[in-house]
Amino acid sequence: MIVRDHFDRPAGAVSLALAAYGAGSILTALALPRLLRRFNDRTVMLLAAFALSLILAAVAVLTARTPSTGTWAAALAAWAAIGAASSAVLTPGAQFSLSHTSPSRHTGTCAFGFAAGDTDDASSAGPCAGITRSVRA
């Protein structure tokens, strides 16, 4: 909408703007492991969220101006920066969620088995074994 209506660019320019966002996101995701070895996840995410709010404020100012070649280039740079900041906010959270998927899945399975009254010896094999034994005791 902004690309075609405000900047008066052709439909193909929308894909260019999306590519700028994706490039910023991918470059940041590739740099994050090294960055997260030096800084805390929370620090990186908070700084990126703060930067994201500043970038979005700059985009609001940018789109209030009369469009030109310079503002179009600045918009592409802003989309890349938005992609980078979004990636820095979301990637550490996603990694945390993925690393905790397996235990929560098994805990839910065990809870479902207890709710159904399925606490025989067959259900105590596998991930629920320790939980089943402790509940029976």
Side-chain angles (χ1 to χ4, degrees), residues 13-124:
V14 174
S15 59
L16 185 61
L18 293 173
Y21 179 94
S25 177
I26 289 170
L27 290 174
T28 300
L30 291 173
L32 271 174
R34 185 175 300 137
L35 188 64
L36 292 173
R37 280 193 290 272
R38 294 187 63 187
F39 301 103
N40 183 339
D41 290 5
R42 180 181 166 94
T43 303
V44 171
M45 293 170 74
L46 284 173
L47 288 173
F50 181 71
L52 187 58
S53 64
L54 293 178
I55 296 163
L56 290 173
V59 169
V61 170
L62 182 67
T63 55
R65 299 183 59 178
T66 304
S68 68
T69 304
T71 57
W72 171 241
L76 289 177
W79 269 302
I82 291 169
S86 296
S87 182
V89 169
L90 298 174
T91 301
Q95 288 174 344
F96 176 82
S97 296
L98 290 174
S99 70
H100 289 76
T101 299
S102 183
S104 64
R105 183 184 68 206
H106 294 308
T107 304
T109 303
C110 295
F112 179 75
F114 288 127
D118 185 18
T119 57
D120 63 347
D121 288 335
S123 70
S124 57

